[in-house]
Amino acid sequence: MEKTLEKPKGKFFEEIHFLRAFACIGVVLVHLSASYYNQHGQTFNWLTFALNQLGRFGTPTFALISGFLLFHQVKAKGFDFQRFLKSRFTKIIMPFVVWSVFYLLIKVIVLNATLPSGQDFIESFLMGASFYHLYFMVIVIQFYFVFPMLQAIRTKLSWMIALIVSFIVSAFFINLSNFISVQEGLGALLNNRVFIFTWIFYFIFGGFLAYYWRSITKLVTSQAKLLILIAMVYVLAIYEYQIMGSIPSNRMTNLINIPLLSIAVIGLFPVIQSRRILYGPLKLIGTLSMGIYLVHPLVLLFLNQVLPHTAWATRGLPIMYILVMLLSIGIVQAIRKLSFVQYIIPVPRMQNK
């Protein structure tokens, strides 16, 4: 008879905060570097292009974390369908609706955009096209629809099968244009970046990481080797985009890169924890990561509107990055004081002292 995996203890793994921070830092890098190119008529230089491409590890890492947290919660508390629906509706679906409506208003009032009407508007809204970053929430919501069926993954053998199958499925949909026309109809829908099957491997690997946490973390004891691993992944990523040009987050190599980077970041947690100058800021960014994800495009839009063109010189990018982060954190912290914060951003409510 197959051996069922050890029942977990109900503790939260602090390392996930730092994996969230890693993902959040990457996503903000992508959008900030794109502002230099899109908003100010500049072309990418070697630095902004490198940051734009290397930051694209962020979105699939968020997908992995989403899978980890869901499967870990089931391990710790069991699966209650009604509780699951209520929790997901509050923490993801409501914030998605709130921010979609908010950014639509921003597009109309600030950017003077003309919105599609009728069925086109509904499709655009449901596909997360209200603003450029909301598509990720649609991907996560789709995963919630299939997650109840994934409860069957409980044994070592079933996890191995799930990993292999999800890897093949994601690889197939990443390369879908090689097999069918993706210009219109069903092919265009399946090739849309919000379609779950492109990302399913990351969710499944996150669940695998939750179930095998203790075994995996025992294998990552050498910080020096982990730093070398991270350096190798980034060097190969630089080589890849120099050969291929601009590559999206859902690229084939990320099916290998993201698991390796995630395990390496988790393994480096003791080093981060021992250095207060890193520990505090990264823990804050990790805790507020989804809030930062939701509000940072608003901050970028504001800065693009009010700052002069000269402020966007490449040499000022580090200062601009810090400014975007600080303003985003400030907005999230203000929202956290609201009693109904759970319907706006999926972060813990600020406790009154």
Side-chain angles (χ1 to χ4, degrees):
M1 191 168 79
E2 292 177 349
K3 183 181 178 182
T4 302
L5 295 171
E6 178 184 351
K7 197 167 183 65
K9 297 179 180 179
K11 71 168 189 174
F12 181 77
F13 301 106
E14 196 175 7
E15 291 89 336
I16 295 302
H17 278 314
F18 297 94
L19 192 56
R20 280 172 162 167
F22 166 81
C24 183
I25 288 168
V27 169
V28 175
L29 270 179
V30 171
H31 297 151
L32 175 61
S33 59
S35 291
Y36 282 77
Y37 178 77
N38 293 332
Q39 302 292 333
H40 302 283
Q42 305 176 30
T43 57
F44 280 125
N45 57 35
W46 69 269
L47 177 61
T48 54
F49 188 51
L51 294 176
N52 183 271
Q53 293 297 293
L54 296 179
R56 293 178 186 268
F57 293 137
T59 302
T61 303
F62 268 129
L64 183 150
I65 294 168
S66 297
F68 177 94
L69 294 176
L70 272 182
F71 280 101
H72 169 64
Q73 185 179 48
V74 169
K75 285 179 63 184
K77 300 180 181 179
F79 183 72
D80 182 293
F81 186 69
Q82 289 186 339
R83 185 178 65 193
F84 171 77
L85 286 180
K86 181 180 179 181
S87 171
R88 297 308 101 186
F89 179 82
T90 300
K91 294 180 179 179
I92 294 295
I93 296 178
M94 277 302 299
F96 169 71
V97 172
V98 168
W99 287 101
S100 294
V101 171
F102 174 80
Y103 279 109
L104 283 174
L105 293 174
I106 291 293
K107 289 171 78 170
V108 172
I109 297 171
V110 179
L111 302 178
N112 298 315
T114 301
L115 301 181
S117 58
Q119 184 177 346
D120 290 338
F121 174 81
I122 295 172
E123 290 178 358
S124 175
F125 190 95
L126 294 178
M127 298 292 269
S130 298
F131 219 66
Y132 57 78
H133 66 310
L134 295 176
Y135 76 97
F136 176 72
M137 299 188 79
V138 178
I139 297 169
V140 176
I141 290 170
Q142 290 176 84
F143 182 62
Y144 295 157
F145 282 107
V146 301
F147 182 72
M149 295 180 287
L150 298 177
Q151 301 309 305
I153 308 175
R154 295 293 180 92
T155 64
K156 292 182 178 180
L157 177 60
S158 62
W159 272 112
M160 293 300 107
I161 294 172
L163 276 176
I164 294 170
V165 171
S166 63
F167 184 95
I168 294 172
V169 169
S170 289
F172 175 81
F173 280 92
I174 289 171
N175 296 284
L176 187 65
S177 60
N178 297 328
F179 305 102
I180 63 173
S181 172
V182 296
Q183 301 304 314
E184 57 185 11
L186 181 61
L189 175 64
L190 298 179
N191 192 57
N192 192 295
R193 64 176 177 174
V194 306
F195 193 58
I196 185 176
F197 285 166
T198 302
W199 306 89
I200 192 66
F201 172 72
Y202 304 116
F203 287 108
I204 297 298
F205 187 85
F208 172 79
L209 188 60
Y211 268 76
Y212 282 89
W213 178 269
R214 188 173 299 176
S215 300
I216 291 173
T217 51
K218 283 182 180 179
L219 299 176
V220 288
T221 55
S222 172
Q223 277 77 37
K225 290 180 180 178
L226 295 176
L227 288 171
I228 292 172
L229 175 61
I230 292 174
M232 287 177 59
V233 170
Y234 275 95
V235 168
L236 290 174
I238 291 171
Y239 176 77
E240 180 184 24
Y241 76 71
Q242 287 182 337
I243 298 298
M244 303 291 292
S246 181
I247 311 172
S249 298
N250 56 333
R251 57 198 189 201
M252 186 69 184
T253 50
N254 272 356
L255 296 177
I256 303 296
N257 292 335
I258 299 306
L260 292 178
L261 284 175
S262 298
I263 292 173
V265 171
I266 289 168
L268 289 174
F269 172 71
V271 177
I272 297 170
Q273 191 178 32
S274 65
R275 289 163 173 78
R276 289 188 176 184
I277 194 171
L278 293 176
Y279 179 81
L282 289 178
K283 183 175 182 180
L284 179 64
I285 293 172
T287 302
L288 306 181
S289 58
M290 278 307 297
I292 295 170
Y293 182 93
L294 288 169
V295 307
H296 81 273
L298 177 65
V299 173
L300 284 171
L301 180 61
F302 170 76
L303 294 177
N304 278 308
Q305 296 285 325
V306 302
L307 293 181
H309 180 77
T310 53
W312 295 88
T314 304
R315 63 179 177 274
L317 191 148
I319 296 174
M320 193 68 72
Y321 186 88
I322 294 172
L323 180 60
V324 171
M325 273 293 190
L326 290 176
L327 290 175
S328 299
I329 290 171
I331 293 172
V332 174
Q333 294 286 48
I335 295 174
R336 288 179 71 201
K337 295 181 179 181
L338 300 174
S339 59
F340 50 91
V341 61
Q342 69 271 22
Y343 299 109
I344 304 176
I345 50 175
V347 298
R349 184 176 183 272
M350 186 177 289
Q351 299 296 320
N352 294 322
K353 294 184 180 180

